[in-house]
Amino acid sequence: MAIRSAWKCKSDGTAVVLEVEGKTAEDLMQGDGFVWIHLERPAADGTDWLSHSDLSSTVCEALDAQETRPRSVVYGNGILINLRGVNLAEGADPEDMVSLRIWVTKQLVVTVQRRPLRAVDDVLDSVSRQVGPRDSGELVARLALRLADRAEPIVAELNESIDDLETELEDLDRLPSRADLAEVRRVSIMLRRYMFPQRDALSTFAIEDMDWLTALARERMREATERVTRLSEELDAIRDRAEVVQDQIMDMRAEASNRQMLVLSVVAAIFLPLGLITGLLGINVGGMPGSNDPNAFWAVCIMLVVITAGEIWLFRWMGLLRS
């Protein structure tokens, strides 16, 4: 597992780069402040710091798990917390959320990612600019806040998309693209799948009975929880609005189909008696009235016109035809 970054963070927000190759976690935690080691998986050079880090096998297995869902679990004197962030890599789907595995104690924070996360890069950048977190709990809170920050534009885009679909349906009175609607529903459902568990994981972390969790770290974690909760509620609202739009589309399609069937039924009803009369007059038997009268054809035509006008008036009176 490749070491992407290692920092010794101090209580005043400053940090220095650490050399961790060949050193255990116990070696690195000497002195004041805390150590942040950020690992990438898989390791490009084949190195695996976790294998000789002297962390427990349970912690190592949790950090190296193939699939994770957001959760927060106390283990010994530390907390294992898994978070998810939107995938903002070029050409990737944002709803394909990237996991961030974290082991945090008073003096050590180990984070593991399998794919790039811009939220982690944001926090690493602040640490490199010497405006980093003052304790390990605050670092986790900052990571959670940045994950929420990076997710907000995606949720805002979904809101704009569903707004456009509703405007197209209600104001422009035309059917929106069903493919666009399906995409909004799919993305909102996929994001919501992880947002609610992430909210629970953050709220659990904030109330854990750890003496090294400062009041500031708990406050920031509660703020991150509130922001994730708001995003989750917005995703719920987007999903519900998409369902309403889908129902309206189905209603409009059913109404249009019913109108077309009504028109066909009325046309069939108009021509049914006309066809009966013309068919009756066209039978080839003796005794047909008007067969020798040169004006009989026009008399039949006038009769058919009168019958048609009467049927149209009757259908309008019944409300089957609009004026």
Side-chain angles (χ1 to χ4, degrees):
M1 194 171 289
I3 300 172
R4 178 180 173 186
S5 182
W7 295 88
K8 179 72 171 181
C9 302
K10 301 180 181 179
S11 58
D12 59 357
T14 61
V16 295
V17 178
L18 285 181
E19 178 59 45
V20 300
E21 290 294 342
K23 296 181 180 179
T24 66
E26 188 67 28
D27 297 333
L28 297 172
M29 289 188 294
Q30 303 299 320
D32 297 332
F34 70 96
V35 175
W36 179 20
I37 301 175
H38 182 54
L39 307 174
E40 287 186 338
R41 175 76 176 179
D45 55 2
T47 59
D48 187 2
W49 179 81
L50 279 182
S51 63
H52 60 267
S53 64
D54 74 10
L55 296 177
S56 72
S57 58
T58 301
V59 172
C60 292
E61 289 174 3
L63 292 175
D64 199 27
Q66 287 288 340
E67 295 293 335
T68 62
R69 286 182 62 81
R71 64 168 185 156
S72 180
V73 179
V74 174
Y75 182 76
N77 63 341
I79 301 175
L80 278 167
I81 181 169
N82 296 330
L83 302 176
R84 289 269 181 162
V86 293
N87 191 348
L88 299 177
E90 185 177 355
D93 295 326
E95 69 275 12
D96 181 21
M97 301 188 76
V98 181
S99 63
L100 179 65
R101 305 158 178 82
I102 306 173
W103 166 247
V104 52
T105 65
K106 181 178 181 180
Q107 292 183 297
L108 177 67
V109 177
V110 180
T111 55
V112 178
Q113 69 181 38
R114 290 179 173 271
R115 287 176 290 173
L117 268 174
R118 294 186 184 177
V120 177
D121 294 338
D122 294 339
V123 180
L124 285 171
D125 180 65
S126 67
V127 172
S128 65
R129 290 185 288 106
Q130 304 301 312
V131 286
R134 292 179 285 275
D135 57 75
S136 58
E138 186 182 348
L139 171 59
V140 178
R142 285 199 184 190
L143 289 169
L145 285 168
R146 292 307 299 163
L147 289 172
D149 289 342
R150 288 294 186 175
E152 283 182 349
I154 306 301
V155 177
E157 288 180 8
L158 290 175
N159 262 318
E160 292 177 0
S161 298
I162 197 66
D163 286 343
D164 293 340
L165 293 173
E166 288 176 338
T167 299
E168 189 174 358
L169 180 65
E170 297 173 4
D171 296 345
L172 302 181
D173 196 25
R174 67 186 183 194
L175 294 178
S177 169
R178 296 181 67 181
D180 293 342
L181 178 61
E183 180 66 12
V184 171
R185 293 184 65 183
R186 184 184 68 83
V187 174
S188 63
I189 290 172
M190 292 296 294
L191 291 177
R192 181 186 178 279
R193 175 186 176 190
Y194 293 107
M195 283 299 177
F196 275 107
Q198 185 140 313
R199 176 200 62 183
D200 296 338
L202 295 175
S203 62
T204 301
F205 185 95
I207 63 175
E208 293 293 0
D209 188 18
M210 293 290 180
D211 56 4
W212 47 265
L213 277 177
T214 64
L216 177 61
R218 295 181 189 273
E219 180 181 351
R220 290 200 170 187
M221 190 61 69
R222 284 192 292 269
E223 180 184 352
T225 303
E226 289 297 323
R227 293 174 73 172
V228 173
T229 300
R230 180 173 57 81
L231 291 175
S232 302
E233 292 173 348
E234 288 187 11
L235 289 170
D236 262 345
I238 291 170
R239 184 194 60 178
D240 293 342
R241 290 167 64 190
E243 290 179 355
V244 171
V245 172
Q246 177 68 21
D247 291 341
Q248 289 178 312
I249 291 176
M250 297 303 295
D251 289 343
M252 292 179 67
R253 288 181 178 273
E255 184 179 354
S257 178
N258 290 337
R259 281 200 303 266
Q260 293 171 353
M261 292 300 297
L262 177 61
V263 170
L264 291 176
S265 298
V266 170
V267 170
I270 289 175
F271 282 96
L272 183 61
L274 302 182
L276 175 63
I277 294 173
T278 55
L280 181 63
L281 293 177
I283 59 178
N284 190 19
V285 295
M288 290 297 298
S291 58
N292 298 320
D293 187 351
N295 297 319
F297 171 77
W298 299 110
V300 172
C301 290
I302 294 172
M303 180 180 63
L304 296 178
V305 170
V306 170
I307 293 174
T308 301
E311 288 182 314
I312 292 175
W313 174 85
L314 178 62
F315 289 142
R316 284 184 176 176
W317 179 77
M318 295 175 62
L320 299 178
L321 286 178
R322 295 181 181 178
S323 300

